[in-house]
Amino acid sequence: MEGITTFKSDYRPYEIIQQPHHAPEEYKPNQGEMDLGTTYKRDFNSYKIQPVAIVRPLERQQVKKGKLDTVPTYKDDYRAWDIQKSELYKPEQSYYPPTVKFGNSTTFQDNYVPWEIQPRQSFKPSSVVQRPTVPFNGDTSHRLDYAPYQLESRLVRPKEVYRPTNQPFEDLTTHRCDFQGLVGATAKICRPAHSRVTQNAQFEGSTEFRDSFQPWEIPPPKVKKVQEYVPPAGSMQLHSTSHLDYVPYQAERVIPIRPISHRRNHHFPFQGKSTTKEDFPAWESCRQGLIKKQQQIPNPSGKFDGLSTFRSHYVPYELIPTESCKPVNVPLQSSCPFDDVTMYSTEYAPKKQEICPASYPSPPGYIFENTNSQGHKFFRKITPAVKAF
């Protein structure tokens, strides 16, 4: 086999023309001085500025003559009036403490007049069931207005007896009657016989990628050498600036200002009585019993009859099973042979199976060239000779 790929055979090298490079011109500074004048300098007219005169008046020094009188105007003009104390118009409260506990009556008790409660007349109907004395009248408007008419006798047709047919059931359909098929010879199977290609040569697992791309030798990474730690000579000075500049002072302990609590130890028992407990004793209360209403309808004394209206009026009828008209499930038997011809078997065109040239020790149509270091053989395809005219 040739070692030429599609890229190698179709690749055409082109000549590369180098593009012209533009060389910049050398910078030459302009001769002469630069005019740094601006529009502001040209149009601006300066004015002479005079110092501003101070408007604040001069400070005058007061000359102290004599003693300063510090009496204010309010104190000099104010005169206190002689006001007499007014008498109270509030009536005297004549309160006498009671001699008995809770002896004083309240305003509500003094003004309250008790009235006798009179029960109201109840207009609610009594819940007692009243038994009727007149017999029950079951006549209705339908029963009173209904007029019975005599009906004619209805014609009853006799029921026809089912008679099965003597002829067998014909299960032929329209498709089976009209399309009976074309009579012809049985189609032959054109499929070629399966022939397995075997080879005794050992399979080579080398590929073009393995042959063309050999592994490179990668040098091991360099290991950086770490210098050995050498401790410094001498002892470490652990003094800080705060430690050196700190001056300790001898201080006395602060005496607490809080007075000492004197606890009293009482050996007699605690008296848990209070004014509220003595003035408000607990009332004796009894739980009220349940209020049940008396039953007015008496319970039935006889035995319960479990017969319902449906059971008493129900009339059972004999069930007659419906006759089935479904045909008997019998397989269809035919004397004609089964036609197994398909469109695939009639239109199948067998194709020639090509054999891979690598399975031959010397493939036909190729010439052996050489063998590489891994034992891979290279062949070249024989090109047919073209006769010149």
Side-chain angles (χ1 to χ4, degrees), residues 239-259:
H239 294 294
S240 62
T241 312
S242 175
H243 192 202
L244 296 174
D245 298 344
Y246 177 72
V247 180
Y249 293 96
Q250 189 175 2
E252 296 180 356
R253 191 171 182 180
V254 181
I255 301 172
I257 307 174
R258 186 178 60 184

Side-chain angles (χ1 to χ4, degrees), residues 156-336:
V156 180
R157 293 182 180 181
K159 191 175 182 181
E160 297 180 359
V161 183
Y162 173 72
R163 296 178 182 179
T165 58
N166 300 327
Q167 297 179 2
F169 179 71
E170 187 179 358
D171 57 346
L172 294 176
T173 60
T174 311
H175 180 77
R176 288 188 179 183
C177 293
D178 297 344
F179 300 95
Q180 296 181 0
L182 300 176
V183 181
T186 307
K188 297 180 181 179
I189 299 175
C190 303
R191 185 172 57 185
H194 178 67
S195 58
R196 186 177 180 184
V197 181
T198 57
Q199 55 181 0
N200 298 326
Q202 188 177 1
F203 177 74
E204 296 182 2
S206 60
T207 59
E208 183 183 357
F209 181 80
R210 290 185 179 181
D211 298 341
S212 302
F213 298 94
Q214 301 296 332
W216 293 355
E217 292 184 1
I218 301 174
K222 295 182 180 179
V223 181
K224 186 179 179 181
K225 294 183 179 180
V226 183
Q227 297 181 0
E228 188 178 358
Y229 174 73
V230 180
S235 58
M236 185 176 180
Q237 187 177 4
L238 300 175
H239 294 294
S240 62
T241 312
S242 175
H243 192 202
L244 296 174
D245 298 344
Y246 177 72
V247 180
Y249 293 96
Q250 189 175 2
E252 296 180 356
R253 191 171 182 180
V254 181
I255 301 172
I257 307 174
R258 186 178 60 184
I260 302 171
S261 61
H262 300 284
R263 296 182 179 180
R264 299 177 181 178
N265 297 326
H266 302 288
H267 300 287
F268 51 86
F270 176 71
Q271 186 179 2
K273 293 183 180 180
S274 62
T275 313
T276 309
K277 284 187 176 182
E278 293 178 356
D279 297 346
F280 297 95
W283 293 357
E284 294 181 1
S285 60
C286 299
R287 189 171 182 179
Q288 189 177 3
L290 296 175
I291 301 173
K292 290 186 177 181
K293 198 173 183 180
Q294 295 181 0
Q295 190 175 3
Q296 297 177 358
I297 301 174
N299 295 328
S301 58
K303 190 177 181 181
F304 175 70
D305 189 7
L307 187 64
S308 61
T309 313
F310 178 78
R311 290 185 178 180
S312 60
H313 293 280
Y314 177 71
V315 180
Y317 294 94
E318 187 179 356
L319 182 63
I320 302 172
T322 309
E323 188 176 356
S324 177
C325 301
K326 184 178 179 183
V328 185
N329 189 12
V330 179
L332 180 64
Q333 296 180 0
S334 179
S335 59
C336 300

Side-chain angles (χ1 to χ4, degrees), residues 35-47 49:
D35 186 11
L36 300 175
T38 60
T39 313
Y40 180 77
K41 286 184 178 181
R42 185 183 62 190
D43 299 341
F44 179 72
N45 299 325
S46 57
Y47 295 94
I49 301 172

